[in-house]
Amino acid sequence: DVLLAWGSLRLTRALRPERKKDWAPAVVFSIALFLPTVVLNGAYRGQCDSIYGAMVVHALALLLEDRPKSSVVLMAVAFSFKLQTVFVLPLWGVMWLARKVKFWHLWLFPVTYMGTILPALLLGKPLWDILKVYFDQMGEYSSLTLNAPTIFQFVPYGMEVNEKLLSTLGILAAALLVMALLAVGLFMGRKLNRQVFFTMAVVLAIGVPFFLPHMHERYFFLADMLSVLYAARYRDRRFMPLLVVSASLMSYMPFITRQRPVDMRILALMMLAALAVVSRDVLRKMRKNRAAL
């Protein structure tokens, strides 16, 4: 949790390089350390979200500090802890298309990941069993959503639907979102600045789990963290954590209090509203950046 808070401080500084005497990073450190979903995931429930989340946040900071090789290596380590790292992984593809990351840098990801599996190999676990662990996890769940505030909460309870078709449509929607952001990187090229880049990070952290099927409530952990940092960077977006973190926190309640205090459709609407805001912000920042150039 402390490493996660430090990464949030570091990323806030990277997003505000023009401010030499800045109180925001210290405030973000404190908020990140005691954010309800951070405490509930780590100290209370013993989940590893803070571990991979810390690595992702530091990797984003490294990318903005012009250290792409280190950022790719750290993302690979994060991936070895948690599959949900892939929610924001397309950002490195965006940076490659924008010619800010070299193609050979991306190859550090599989090389590093292979290094992380060496201990298991040396202890005798078959290579195929290691490599397919995430594929096995994908097949564990059949429900369209597992108490997560996703688009599938709008499916009426008890209604007979073709779950396979809806799952496919959700995956397609997430893929289209990723491709749209990759197109932004290709379109903007070297004109892509850190403001547009970070806004796209928030879009992915919210949008990918929002559209994907079989999501747990904890899968918005990165969205919680990045919404706090987004609010720290842009004063007119200080309502973002209220939407994202509140929706996440309320979706935890059935596991903690055995009660559902808020209709899940309302929580899904809150996530959708946050996604709409940051998606619009990407377009606004693109136009503003091009006009300035």
Side-chain angles (χ1 to χ4, degrees), residues 25-247:
V27 173
V28 167
F29 178 94
S30 301
I31 294 174
L33 188 60
F34 297 106
L35 200 68
T37 50
V38 171
V39 175
L40 290 173
N41 268 293
Y44 184 75
R45 298 182 65 188
Q47 300 291 339
C48 71
D49 298 270
S50 289
I51 300 175
Y52 94 93
M55 294 179 182
V56 170
V57 171
H58 278 283
L60 290 170
L62 284 166
L63 207 52
L64 295 182
E65 294 167 0
D66 296 322
R67 298 170 63 186
K69 296 187 291 294
S70 298
S71 72
V72 173
V73 168
L74 199 55
M75 282 297 287
V77 179
F79 179 77
S80 72
F81 276 94
K82 194 94 173 181
L83 174 61
Q84 283 68 46
T85 302
V86 300
F87 291 164
V88 296
L89 194 58
L91 286 168
W92 278 256
V94 170
M95 295 299 272
W96 170 61
L97 290 170
R99 300 188 296 280
K100 296 195 175 187
V101 170
K102 295 181 179 178
F103 185 69
W104 74 266
H105 293 161
L106 303 180
W107 281 97
L108 292 171
F109 186 94
V111 171
T112 302
Y113 181 72
M114 293 304 293
T116 66
I117 72 174
L118 281 177
L121 279 173
L122 294 174
L123 288 171
K125 188 167 185 176
L127 177 61
W128 178 242
D129 287 351
I130 299 172
L131 294 179
K132 71 183 183 73
V133 63
Y134 286 148
F135 293 100
D136 290 342
Q137 287 182 8
M138 292 179 189
E140 286 181 358
Y141 309 116
S142 58
S143 300
L144 286 173
T145 178
L146 296 109
N147 214 58
T150 69
I151 193 171
F152 298 104
Q153 293 292 351
F154 300 122
V155 177
Y157 181 76
M159 179 180 178
E160 291 188 11
V161 296
N162 187 332
E163 293 193 359
K164 185 176 181 179
L165 175 61
L166 289 180
S167 295
T168 301
L169 291 175
I171 293 170
L172 179 61
L176 288 173
L177 177 65
V178 169
M179 287 189 287
L181 295 183
L182 290 172
V184 170
L186 182 62
F187 175 72
M188 295 195 69
R190 294 191 179 276
K191 298 175 183 178
L192 180 70
N193 61 18
R194 61 186 63 210
Q195 285 74 34
V196 177
F197 166 79
F198 183 65
T199 306
M200 288 194 289
V202 182
V203 170
L204 286 172
I206 299 173
V208 173
F210 181 78
F211 289 117
L212 286 180
H214 320 310
M215 294 290 101
H216 274 294
E217 73 290 336
R218 291 185 293 106
Y219 291 177
F220 285 95
F221 185 82
L222 276 179
D224 296 348
M225 296 306 308
L226 296 187
S227 70
V228 171
L229 273 65
Y230 197 68
R233 179 61 182 85
Y234 302 106
R235 290 185 177 183
D236 61 343
R237 293 294 179 259
R238 288 182 178 174
F239 62 86
M240 282 289 293
L242 294 177
L243 289 173
V244 178
V245 180
S246 296

Side-chain angles (χ1 to χ4, degrees), residues 1-13 29 32 57-58:
D1 291 355
V2 174
L3 290 175
L4 176 64
W6 170 36
S8 300
L9 178 151
R10 182 180 181 183
L11 184 51
T12 303
R13 283 179 175 168
F29 178 94
V57 171
H58 278 283

